[in-house]
Amino acid sequence: MQLLLMGPPGAGKGTQAAELVKKFDIPHISTGDMFRAAVKEGTELGKKAKACMDSGKLVPDDVTIGIVRDRLAKKDCAKGFILDGFPRTVEQADALAGILEGLNQPLTKVLNIHVPSEDLIERAIGRRICKSCGATYHVKFNPPKVENVCDECNGNLYQRADDNEETMRNRLSVYEDSTRPLTEYYKKAGIYLEIDGRQPIDKVTEELVNVLSSVKD
Ligand code: ADP
Ligand code: ADP
Ligand code: ZN
């Protein structure tokens, strides 16, 4: 099963991908997570990505497409995958179509988690992430049992540098300009479905799992 999770920043893509990984046992491929890991390690890729991420702009298409091409070629993707946060431009979507054609792994479903923009800033500002395992929390909507401590691994939680109001406004406007047009792109392909992301986390998961249970891979 080859899934694409779409939706604006803060819609719940990462949160839902983590649930779908447990359910379907396929890898979660998040370009944002890959860039953050590269920034942390101080690699060339990290240096290229950091300034764009800090200001809420997109990392250039050629860089982004290259890392996804390499990742999808890995063995663990042969049984399927969940793409999260890629593609974000029409150029990336065209490149992805070519990559997947080469792998003979067409997209099974494109699931767009819809959340109105007025909710997204609060979601991003309250987001907290585990330093050790990457689990995602929210100070109000999904708090850990102990403040700032991960339920899964006892790791410390941190706040992403780009999860502030100013950068978030830029990210939302980049989403409107560059990424929203992709919904039309995938609607034409007949594999597109919109999910109401304003529901509680477990309800969104339930809806996704229901949709996917009827899909054959
Ligand atoms: P969110 O989950 O809030 O949408 P991500 O973790 O997906 O954020 O992305 C964080 C940042 O990483 C983006 O603002 C952008 O700078 C960069 N990034 C992630 N994915 C892409 C992509 N497909 N193309 C270009 N830049 C990307
Ligand atoms: P994305 O990957 O799309 O940027 P995340 O999955 O990281 O989004 O979620 C953004 C923030 O919103 C996180 O703090 C997360 O705990 C919270 N969140 C996710 N889904 C929901 C939901 N359905 N209702 C309320 N808060 C949510
Ligand atoms: Zn953890």
Side-chain angles (χ1 to χ4, degrees):
M1 192 153 57
Q2 286 79 243
L3 303 179
L4 173 50
L5 281 185
M6 285 188 64
K13 304 179 295 295
T15 300
Q16 297 302 330
E19 294 305 315
L20 298 178
V21 164
K22 287 185 211 158
K23 180 88 190 157
F24 297 106
D25 193 30
I26 46 177
H28 171 205
I29 301 176
S30 155
T31 40
D33 286 351
M34 288 157 91
F35 288 138
R36 276 184 292 280
V39 169
K40 200 169 150 196
E41 285 162 26
T43 62
E44 275 311 305
L45 173 67
K47 283 176 202 151
K48 281 186 202 155
K50 190 175 184 321
C52 302
M53 294 174 87
D54 284 347
S55 60
K57 289 199 200 108
L58 294 180
V59 177
D61 281 334
D62 57 337
V63 175
T64 309
I65 291 164
I67 64 163
V68 173
R69 178 178 283 117
D70 291 350
R71 181 65 188 88
L72 289 173
K74 297 239 162 82
K75 247 197 182 146
D76 63 335
C77 294
K79 57 185 176 181
F81 47 79
I82 305 164
L83 279 170
D84 156 10
F86 179 93
R88 268 173 145 101
T89 64
V90 171
E91 189 173 339
Q92 291 178 15
D94 285 337
L96 177 65
I99 295 168
L100 296 182
E101 200 178 306
L103 294 168
N104 200 17
Q105 285 185 294
L107 287 176
T108 314
K109 277 263 179 252
V110 176
L111 300 157
N112 192 5
I113 306 178
H114 179 262
V115 177
S117 44
E118 59 267 27
D119 293 354
L120 294 169
I121 297 203
E122 186 183 14
R123 285 208 187 175
I125 288 175
R127 170 160 49 192
R128 299 291 182 274
I129 299 169
C130 175
K131 264 186 194 149
S132 307
C133 76
T136 300
Y137 298 87
H138 190 281
V139 290
K140 184 164 145 196
F141 305 128
N142 185 24
K145 293 193 181 84
V146 178
E147 201 180 330
N148 278 319
V149 178
C150 178
D151 292 348
E152 312 269 337
C153 77
N154 284 330
N156 287 322
L157 307 188
Y158 78 101
Q159 185 172 20
R160 271 168 49 176
D162 58 346
D163 276 343
N164 59 73
E165 185 163 346
E166 191 193 345
T167 309
M168 193 53 190
R169 290 200 186 279
N170 291 338
R171 287 157 63 198
L172 291 173
S173 104
V174 167
Y175 175 82
E176 290 303 326
D177 293 345
S178 304
T179 310
R180 194 184 284 284
L182 287 183
T183 57
E184 292 308 317
Y185 183 104
Y186 286 114
K187 269 180 198 166
K188 280 186 212 139
I191 48 172
Y192 175 89
L193 203 75
E194 209 152 276
I195 306 280
D196 180 2
R198 284 169 306 181
Q199 308 171 86
I201 293 174
D202 55 343
K203 290 282 167 226
V204 178
T205 307
E206 210 178 293
E207 205 172 318
L208 288 169
V209 170
N210 276 343
V211 167
L212 295 173
S213 300
S214 60
V215 164
K216 289 259 171 287
D217 43 14

